[in-house]
Amino acid sequence: MRLLLYAVLAASVSQAQYIVNSASFGHDKTLSPNKLAVPGWDVSGEGQVPELLSDKIILTPPYPGNRRGAIWQNNRVMQSEWKADFEFRATGPERGGGNLQIWLVKEGQAKIGTSSIYTVGQFDGLVLVVDMYGGRGGSIRGFLNDGNTDYKNHHSVDSLAFGHCDYSYRNLGRPSRIQISNLGNSFAVSVDQKECFRSDKISLPPGYFFGISAASADTPDSFEVFKFVLTTAPSTTREEPQRNQPPPQKAPSDQQQGNAAPILNKPLSSISSQEFAQLQNRIQSMSQSVENLFSQLVKLAETSGNRHQELVPKVDRLSTMDQRLQSIESTVAAIKKELESRDYQGHFAKLQESLKDTHSSLLEGLPLSMSQIVSTSAPRMGFFLFVVVGLQMLLAVAYILYKRRRANGPKKYL
């Protein structure tokens, strides 16, 4: 009987929170096994077909703009209490634009399709919108509709939001994480492990479809979806088998049983409803502790991942600097080896002999060259005397001719 109760306890803890595989993607090794479809989901687009990769879905491409993409569940969510974990990334130019919607609606893909909050018309359900509303770098807003409000023709859709928070989501270089929880009458939205908004007046019924749609502007933002994981709350009854069963848990010792030992020692038929309620409360407390431990492990993994991403560029820089230093060291070693291996004394001796020969040739040839230059460049006296005498004779002849012409000319008498 004790082993039976241990088995019930282990099964209760293992079922405290499990993944709804038919409503999740991105939690296994590959998002799409064949890069053509996502199991349990339909992918559609307007102006383009969203690209399926092994680890993400590109709903809107970086270029061109004015494109739409969406992915919708094939099956309804039948759990009344659940948690959704969603990761996405938005990249684009400085003045890029677009919006991303997370839908939980009754009609599903048949009525919503690739619509955004501004083009959807009437719908019954919930939608979270991620866009640049308010000009504060980005925001996350929540909208509800009972099917009577036509959002497409409404004069002020932004005024219908019941909750919002500012969040700069563009060009972060990492995926952003949005968590949605619907537990009883409590509805909460958190982003990157920080609460965005909460309401105790919202209770979403089962039987709705989850969907994700994105639209880009003329200067587009590219929206990439990495995962969407739906898990049940501790009080939700398991509705489908898990793919990966957890290993059986070791039975606790008698010292670890504490106050539960008297209940476990009793026959199953003799356990009262109060004692069974106490056991159930303990099981729920254990499941909550396991859930808290899991969240702490997730935070630790994210912190380690962020630190790893910060260290990778620095390590790359160090490796590049190391390669450069090794190259410089090898070059210096080669020059040193070359200098040590060659004998430059012979080169210096030849250079000295060449300088001596040049100096001696200059000393021997310079006086002769100067005398030749002086002798060839000196003026000739005979030619100079001939020119002077010739000029004087010409002047004498000219003077004689002038006198004769003047003597023979007519005279005037007064």
Side-chain angles (χ1 to χ4, degrees), residues 70-88:
I71 178 170
W72 283 91
Q73 276 185 292
N74 292 332
N75 301 318
R76 298 178 183 271
V77 177
M78 303 310 298
Q79 289 78 9
S80 59
E81 296 184 354
W82 45 261
K83 292 183 179 180
D85 193 352
F86 173 65
E87 290 186 2
F88 76 98

Side-chain angles (χ1 to χ4, degrees), residues 126 128 142-144 161-164 179-190 195-204:
L126 165 78
L128 297 181
F143 296 85
L144 287 171
F162 68 89
H164 76 280
Q179 293 176 301
I180 311 168
S181 63
N182 180 47
L183 304 176
N185 293 327
S186 177
F187 177 82
V189 176
S190 61
E195 185 172 297
C196 179
F197 58 87
R198 175 185 295 271
S199 176
D200 296 332
K201 300 179 180 180
I202 298 175
S203 179
L204 300 173

Side-chain angles (χ1 to χ4, degrees), residues 25 41-42 44-46 48 50 57-60 67-73 86 88 98-105 108-109 112-120 126-131 210-216 223-225 228:
F25 63 85
W41 296 74
D42 283 336
S44 61
E46 182 178 327
Q48 53 93 33
I57 305 172
I58 303 177
L59 293 180
T60 57
R67 296 294 184 266
R68 295 177 180 270
I71 178 170
W72 283 91
Q73 276 185 292
F86 173 65
F88 76 98
N99 52 52
L100 178 76
Q101 284 78 211
I102 306 173
W103 303 90
L104 179 62
V105 293
Q109 183 181 11
I112 308 299
T114 60
S115 298
S116 67
I117 189 63
Y118 300 103
T119 62
V120 65
L126 165 78
V127 57
L128 297 181
V129 181
V130 181
D131 60 5
F210 269 112
I212 304 164
S213 67
S216 61
F223 287 97
E224 303 169 343
V225 176
F228 183 90

Side-chain angles (χ1 to χ4, degrees), residues 51-64:
E51 186 177 359
L52 298 182
L53 302 179
S54 60
D55 61 341
K56 63 183 177 181
I57 305 172
I58 303 177
L59 293 180
T60 57
Y63 180 84

Side-chain angles (χ1 to χ4, degrees), residues 131-401:
D131 60 5
M132 297 294 293
Y133 170 76
R136 294 184 293 271
S139 67
I140 300 176
R141 297 176 293 162
F143 296 85
L144 287 171
N145 194 359
D146 58 359
N148 296 322
T149 304
D150 188 354
Y151 275 53
K152 184 177 181 180
N153 297 319
H154 197 275
H155 64 281
S156 179
V157 173
D158 299 325
S159 63
L160 301 177
F162 68 89
H164 76 280
C165 67
D166 296 334
Y167 177 64
S168 298
Y169 62 91
R170 300 182 68 250
N171 299 324
L172 296 179
R174 59 167 177 82
S176 298
R177 183 182 183 187
I178 297 178
Q179 293 176 301
I180 311 168
S181 63
N182 180 47
L183 304 176
N185 293 327
S186 177
F187 177 82
V189 176
S190 61
V191 55
D192 291 342
Q193 303 294 331
K194 296 180 181 179
E195 185 172 297
C196 179
F197 58 87
R198 175 185 295 271
S199 176
D200 296 332
K201 300 179 180 180
I202 298 175
S203 179
L204 300 173
Y208 283 24
F209 292 95
F210 269 112
I212 304 164
S213 67
S216 61
D218 293 333
T219 304
D221 272 345
S222 176
F223 287 97
E224 303 169 343
V225 176
F226 291 87
K227 76 172 184 179
F228 183 90
V229 179
L230 185 68
T231 56
T232 60
S235 59
T236 304
T237 304
R238 181 171 175 170
E239 298 181 6
E240 65 177 20
Q242 286 182 329
R243 294 181 182 177
N244 299 322
Q245 292 288 345
Q249 298 187 3
K250 185 179 179 180
S253 61
D254 294 338
Q255 295 179 354
Q256 295 174 340
Q257 293 177 14
N259 296 330
I263 299 178
L264 297 178
N265 291 328
K266 293 182 179 181
L268 185 62
S269 58
S270 63
I271 297 178
S272 64
S273 59
Q274 184 178 1
E275 292 174 340
F276 190 80
Q278 292 178 359
L279 180 61
Q280 185 179 5
N281 292 333
R282 291 167 186 163
I283 293 174
Q284 290 181 355
S285 177
M286 292 178 63
S287 64
Q288 186 65 32
S289 300
V290 172
E291 183 179 357
N292 294 334
L293 179 61
F294 177 75
S295 62
Q296 294 295 329
L297 290 175
V298 170
K299 291 181 181 179
L300 181 60
E302 290 181 353
T303 304
S304 301
N306 294 334
R307 290 181 179 176
H308 176 72
Q309 292 179 357
E310 292 176 357
L311 291 175
V312 165
K314 297 180 180 179
V315 173
D316 294 339
R317 294 176 184 174
L318 290 176
S319 62
T320 304
M321 292 178 63
D322 184 50
Q323 292 176 359
R324 292 180 180 177
L325 290 175
Q326 290 180 359
S327 176
I328 294 173
E329 289 178 356
S330 61
T331 304
V332 172
I335 295 174
K336 183 179 179 181
K337 184 178 180 181
E338 184 177 0
L339 291 175
E340 292 177 351
S341 61
R342 292 187 179 183
D343 187 10
Y344 291 93
Q345 187 174 2
H347 294 282
F348 289 135
K350 290 181 181 179
L351 180 60
Q352 188 176 5
E353 291 178 359
S354 299
L355 290 174
K356 287 181 179 180
D357 294 339
T358 304
H359 184 260
S360 60
S361 62
L362 286 174
L363 291 177
E364 292 176 358
L366 184 60
L368 181 61
S369 299
M370 291 298 295
S371 62
Q372 290 179 356
I373 292 171
V374 171
S375 62
T376 54
S377 301
R380 292 175 290 182
M381 296 302 295
F383 178 75
F384 178 73
L385 293 175
F386 176 76
V387 171
V388 172
V389 172
L391 287 175
Q392 290 180 354
M393 291 180 66
L394 287 175
L395 289 174
V397 172
Y399 181 74
I400 293 171
L401 291 176

